[in-house]
Amino acid sequence: MPSHFKHHVFFCLNQRDGGRQCCNDAGPTAAFEHAKVKVHGMGLSGAGKVRVNKAGCLDRCEQGPVLVVYPEAVWYTYVDNSDIDEIVESHLVNGKIVERLKVD
């Protein structure tokens, strides 16, 4: 059975307690919102296309901020909106993994 979305992108927006490092320390909400606007603006959102979602802890905070793209299970980190734009355009549109942002 095919997936409902071609790509599903999850942004970790988790805030850990006790001062432990977390993705939320890097302001991922703005990156998440930017990705949603970019994907929608490019006509990439919807069934059979791309879905951008918030996620709780993805348990990779030390490498964060992180997002993961399924079904390929490719993990990325990012610094700013230009990194998000590159992930959208390279990976989601052209199917090419952005190696410089990939988290192993």
Side-chain angles (χ1 to χ4, degrees):
M1 174 186 231
S3 176
H4 186 70
F5 298 107
K6 181 178 180 183
H7 296 287
H8 211 143
V9 182
F10 292 94
F11 277 79
C12 180
L13 303 182
N14 190 56
Q15 176 66 55
R16 286 183 170 174
D17 294 329
R20 291 176 38 206
Q21 182 176 344
C22 64
C23 289
N24 198 53
D25 293 341
T29 302
F32 163 76
E33 294 295 339
H34 178 79
K36 284 192 69 86
V37 168
K38 175 93 175 169
V39 165
H40 182 74
M42 293 178 71
L44 300 174
S45 60
K49 297 179 183 177
V50 177
R51 174 73 180 177
V52 179
N53 275 95
K54 297 176 184 177
C57 188
L58 296 173
D59 203 25
R60 301 204 62 186
C61 291
E62 289 75 17
Q63 297 166 308
V66 295
L67 65 86
V68 60
V69 178
Y70 288 108
E72 298 91 339
V74 175
W75 292 80
Y76 290 110
T77 190
Y78 52 89
V79 174
D80 54 27
N81 287 343
S82 65
D83 289 342
I84 299 301
D85 292 346
E86 187 174 357
I87 292 166
V88 170
E89 292 164 13
S90 182
H91 189 140
L92 302 181
V93 173
N94 296 313
K96 184 177 179 201
I97 293 170
V98 183
E99 293 294 335
R100 71 179 191 83
L101 299 174
K102 189 175 171 192
V103 173
D104 291 319

